Amino acid sequence: MAPELQQWLARCLSRRIGTARTPVKRLTAAESYFGVLRGFARVLSGQQPVPTRPEELAGAHIHAFVEHYDDRPKRQHSAFKELRSVLRNDPELPEDARQALFDVRVKEPEVIRPGAYADDDWQAIMTAARRDVRLARERIEAGQRLLARWRGGDPTLSRQEAERGALLDIFDRTGDLPREPGGKGNHTKAVLRAGGFRHLAASLCLTRPEATAFCLLLTALTQENFGTIAAWPAAHFHPEGAREDERVVLVEESKPRRGPEREHMNAALEHLPDEVAGLLGAGAEESRLMRSPLRLYLLLLSLTELSRRHGGTSA
């Protein structure tokens, strides 16, 4: 494109994403606006004559952008919506082109949106999540017990248990498992005999579906958004100063859409009252754990310690 149009598009993007009061708070949204401006630039480059300055833009160029997506109705609607959002208040856009932004009508594709979960659906989801959390805890605690027995030199360990314990010791210390020499990166036969890397790593770490189950349970118990909980840090504050019988911990969370002044806030994690927890239908099995955001958070901290230690993350 001509440099003047390139610079104008850069200014358009800057005005949309670069101020403290803009609703754009995430990199993914900024990338989306960049992508639609790049598509607009492509369309302009195919016009005859090719515009070289913002003053040469007209309603016909807006229509050409919409027609470019005629074979993709869903993308047509979202792309035009984003283009309108970027250009509508731009002071350099000629009036003819600005008017076209409001005159053009792009039909929104019909989308069948799911309704709210029924109570039975919600209970089924929570039952599955509780089961995943319980099995994950039992598996990791079993792996930790085997590791402790191996490190303590337990003579009752079978040959298979001893070999597995030695591999878990290496994984706990290094975050990896032995590999064949030669630089190919393949794990040794001992690792394969013990079930492979994923199987051994899962003896001391959560899997992705299990981390998701924790997030779902905490979402139900705290009414926070899933993404907010998934970004919770491991660092937290004990307001009562005692850790033996914790009643509440404070976790700092980030909600960018609240605006710069109110983005950061503290979530108080505590035990739910029985009358509230009972509504979640946790049943008798481990109800103290499954009804308590505090206990679930502390369990999550415990089960992800190795991942944080070797991953260099505070999340």
Side-chain angles (χ1 to χ4, degrees):
M1 295 190 73
E4 286 188 53
L5 270 182
Q6 287 183 340
Q7 292 162 13
W8 171 69
L9 289 175
R11 290 194 296 272
C12 291
L13 183 63
S14 176
R15 276 188 286 264
R16 180 59 182 161
I17 70 173
T19 67
R21 297 295 178 182
T22 178
V24 180
K25 301 296 182 185
R26 298 189 180 277
L27 181 61
T28 51
E31 288 174 338
S32 180
Y33 286 121
F34 173 77
V36 80
L37 288 179
R38 185 170 55 183
F40 187 46
R42 240 184 243 119
V43 171
L44 293 179
S45 298
Q47 300 301 297
Q48 292 298 330
V50 178
T52 58
R53 304 193 315 274
E55 296 82 7
E56 298 175 7
L57 295 177
H61 297 121
I62 304 298
H63 286 276
F65 177 80
V66 174
E67 292 166 1
H68 178 71
Y69 294 97
D70 275 346
D71 57 339
R72 289 175 287 167
K74 187 175 180 180
R75 179 56 185 153
Q76 184 183 55
H77 179 267
S78 61
F80 182 62
K81 183 178 178 181
E82 290 171 350
L83 184 70
R84 178 189 290 162
S85 198
V86 175
L87 299 185
R88 61 190 302 172
N89 295 321
D90 187 84
E92 302 175 71
L93 186 68
E95 190 57 35
D96 182 54
R98 189 189 317 279
Q99 191 60 45
L101 286 173
F102 296 96
D103 290 343
V104 173
R105 290 290 179 264
V106 177
K107 184 179 179 181
E108 183 175 4
E110 185 177 351
V111 178
I112 300 175
R113 303 186 185 280
Y117 288 121
D119 288 345
D120 289 345
D121 299 329
W122 188 246
Q123 294 298 341
I125 293 170
M126 291 299 99
T127 298
R130 288 193 294 267
R131 177 181 181 275
D132 286 350
V133 166
R134 186 169 57 252
L135 292 179
R137 183 200 58 190
E138 292 172 355
R139 185 190 68 245
I140 292 175
E141 288 181 349
Q144 292 170 340
R145 286 195 299 271
L146 175 60
L147 176 58
R149 289 174 61 198
W150 184 87
R151 286 176 172 172
D154 187 344
T156 64
L157 288 175
S158 66
R159 184 180 65 81
Q160 186 178 15
E161 289 174 328
E163 189 173 67
R164 185 179 178 86
L167 292 172
L168 291 180
D169 175 67
I170 295 172
F171 183 69
D172 181 71
R173 288 185 292 104
T174 68
D176 199 0
L177 289 167
R179 298 177 184 272
E180 297 286 358
K184 292 185 177 179
N186 296 329
H187 289 104
T188 62
K189 292 181 179 177
V191 174
L192 299 179
R193 281 198 304 272
F197 181 87
R198 288 178 180 270
H199 180 70
L200 285 167
S203 297
L204 297 177
C205 296
L206 289 177
T207 65
R208 184 183 297 268
E210 290 163 352
T212 302
F214 266 101
C215 280
L216 286 172
L217 273 178
L218 287 166
T219 296
L221 291 170
T222 65
Q223 301 302 299
E224 297 281 8
N225 288 336
F226 184 95
T228 299
I229 290 175
W232 271 355
H236 55 277
F237 177 66
H238 304 259
E240 71 274 15
R243 300 191 181 189
E244 290 75 19
D245 184 22
E246 291 169 304
R247 291 166 294 173
V248 62
V249 299
L250 301 180
V251 179
E252 184 178 349
E253 60 186 14
S254 174
K255 295 186 173 184
R257 287 182 292 180
R258 291 167 58 94
E261 294 88 359
R262 302 170 61 232
E263 174 180 354
H264 297 283
M265 59 183 294
N266 287 326
L269 304 183
E270 52 190 333
H271 307 309
L272 289 185
D274 289 341
E275 59 270 19
V276 176
L279 299 176
L280 298 172
E285 187 176 11
E286 295 193 280
S287 60
R288 294 183 73 234
L289 169 65
M290 299 304 180
R291 293 178 176 182
S292 169
L294 173 58
R295 289 192 176 95
L296 277 171
Y297 175 75
L298 295 177
L299 175 61
L300 185 57
L301 282 180
S302 170
L303 299 184
T304 55
E305 185 276 330
L306 187 150
S307 301
R308 289 196 306 279
R309 178 161 30 102
H310 292 298
T313 176
S314 61

